[in-house]
């Protein structure tokens, strides 16, 4: 099986800004979600499992090409596990994961996705 067969279609929406409404509720505004093909997998290494502890079952990980350096940021949102932004009226409504801080490696970037509770 080739690496291409491991890639999944996901969508990521960049966080633009955070504002508050008249009732002091935080409102986060996102750009239009963009489609990507990445190898996203549940955590399996001992290092990752120890780092995230009891939250490990809510985390997925992608190792992506270095060309995406500085493209994704912490708290951007993602649509994984077959979820898509199609027919969303407000960007981010269907998102089921948020990004942890991306980690730049020598030739790749590691992104951890944390499941948004309640979704």
């Amino acid at each position: 099986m080739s690496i291409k067969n491991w890639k999944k279609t996901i969508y990521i929406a960049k966080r633009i800004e955070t504002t508050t409404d008249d009732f002091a509720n935080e409102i986060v505004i996102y750009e239009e979600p963009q489609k990507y093909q990445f190898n996203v997998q549940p955590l399996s290494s001992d290092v990752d499992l120890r780092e995230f502890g009891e939250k490990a079952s809510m985390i997925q990980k992608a190792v992506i090409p270095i060309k995406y350096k500085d493209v994704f940021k912490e708290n951007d949102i993602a649509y994984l596990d077959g979820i898509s932004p199609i027919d969303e009226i407000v960007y981010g409504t269907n998102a089921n994961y948020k990004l942890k801080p991306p980690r730049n490696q020598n030739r790749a970037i590691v992104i951890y996705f944390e499941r948004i509770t309640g979704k």
Side-chain angles (χ1 to χ4, degrees):
M1 181 178 276
S2 74
I3 288 273
K4 285 188 174 196
N5 293 339
W6 289 96
K7 291 186 178 181
K8 300 172 187 167
T9 298
I10 68 167
Y11 296 84
I12 298 177
K14 296 179 187 180
R15 184 181 186 144
I16 299 173
E17 67 176 307
T18 303
T19 61
T20 54
D21 65 13
D22 294 339
F23 303 100
N25 296 313
E26 185 177 275
I27 299 171
V28 182
I29 300 169
Y30 297 97
E31 289 182 358
E32 181 177 359
Q34 300 299 307
K35 184 178 181 179
Y36 299 93
Q37 293 282 318
F38 293 143
N39 181 352
V40 180
Q41 300 292 325
L43 297 185
S44 59
S45 77
D46 287 340
V47 173
D48 287 337
L49 294 171
R50 272 188 246 133
E51 178 179 349
F52 291 103
E54 62 187 46
K55 280 189 165 186
S57 64
M58 297 177 59
I59 307 286
Q60 293 196 50
K61 175 182 177 178
V63 179
I64 64 173
I66 196 71
K67 72 180 183 180
Y68 293 103
K69 184 176 190 258
D70 298 324
V71 171
F72 306 115
K73 306 284 185 225
E74 181 177 16
N75 294 318
D76 288 349
I77 54 171
Y79 305 72
L80 277 61
D81 305 328
I83 303 298
S84 80
I86 296 172
D87 297 328
E88 276 185 333
I89 295 170
V90 176
Y91 299 139
T93 306
N94 294 340
N96 57 346
Y97 283 82
K98 65 180 177 180
L99 277 68
K100 304 296 271 175
R103 300 176 185 184
N104 296 331
Q105 309 292 314
N106 287 335
R107 300 184 132 199
I109 299 167
V110 177
I111 297 179
Y112 291 95
F113 301 92
E114 181 177 357
R115 187 162 189 74
I116 298 171
T117 47
K119 293 209 175 190

